[in-house]
Amino acid sequence: MRFLIILLALLSCLASACSPQSDATDTQDKAGHPSESRIRIRIPDTRFTGILPMYIAEEKGILEENGLEAQWIDVRDPGQGTKLLIAGQADLIMTTFANILPVEARKPGSLRLLFPASETRSDPVSYILVRPDSTIKSLADLGGRTLGTYSGPSQKAYALIVLEKLGYREPEDVRLVQVATAAQVQGLFGGAYDALFTVEPYASIALEQGARSIATGVRTALISDPFWLGAAAVPSGVANAQPSLIPKLLRALDDAVRYIRAHDAESREVLARRTGTVDAVAKRSALYNWVAYPNTDQLDQIQDAVDLLHRENMIDAPVDVHTLFVGSDLE
């Protein structure tokens, strides 16, 4: 009799374990922790306009749909963001080539690049501005003046290239002055320099306050059109540890770009809120052209842009972008 009681108890336990109620409970437990199955990406939030697709992908659920989750790190300085990436404290950064490629030049094979961004002549992002009462009327009047720009290697590199293209030597003909990103517009109106070489959204901020443009689309006019300025970078170790990360990320960012193109006004509202830009500035600022799956011609153009940085000694060694970029083989 005792054996029969034990046998019945075992059969009852087995029946409970296999019941639909138990399955439902397991499913509920998994649904209650959906983030456990998503790949979390640590991203320096530099408030860079180029990050807009990632903001959109997060807010519209596109990251979640692709099994991803963003963890933002509040870092306003792009250089500091790159240091976090190198130190293993960030998984992805969206920044300029001048900022990130010195890392690859020093240690080849350390990065994977994706999702390049460009400025086009039809959507100018770069400007040289002066105060409304300035006697500077054109680029030809810059000789003997000071040119301000925001701090960091990227903008310094492009400012020096622009001055060289214009036939100016620095500091003999034009002296370059770098200031904190947030202080550049104030520096222009405060007389810290005679002209300001800047990009969106700071150009629109200054124009809204009465600044006058003496050159619009500076980088596309004097360097290249399109002007490929940067991309997203992921450490190779992170990409190797999570093989599905980059394909998922590219699908999400590609969908986000399509959303931006179809919902311009709403996307600009997101830009204003996430970057702290006033609505009027966000509405007038030109946006970058992002490409999730670059073709051969675009990679060749990017290579030309990177080679220029090397010739200008902004990158210590040549970098072959064709071996670094992922995306053209994943579409």
Side-chain angles (χ1 to χ4, degrees), residues 58-75:
E58 180 184 43
E59 296 205 6
K60 301 306 172 185
I62 301 173
L63 286 182
E64 184 177 357
E65 291 172 2
N66 285 275
L68 302 171
E69 178 182 351
Q71 179 180 332
W72 298 98
I73 307 170
D74 187 11
V75 177

Side-chain angles (χ1 to χ4, degrees), residues 25-43:
T25 302
D26 289 344
T27 301
Q28 290 171 3
D29 288 342
K30 292 177 182 177
H33 302 85
S35 62
E36 293 179 1
S37 62
R38 296 201 291 267
I39 300 175
R40 182 172 297 173
I41 316 167
R42 297 170 297 172
I43 311 169

Side-chain angles (χ1 to χ4, degrees), residues 119-121 123-128 197 213 215-224:
E119 173 186 356
T120 62
R121 193 178 294 261
D123 290 306
V125 176
S126 55
Y127 294 76
I128 293 181
F197 173 46
S213 173
T216 300
V218 181
R219 298 183 300 196
T220 57
L222 297 175
I223 302 178
S224 65

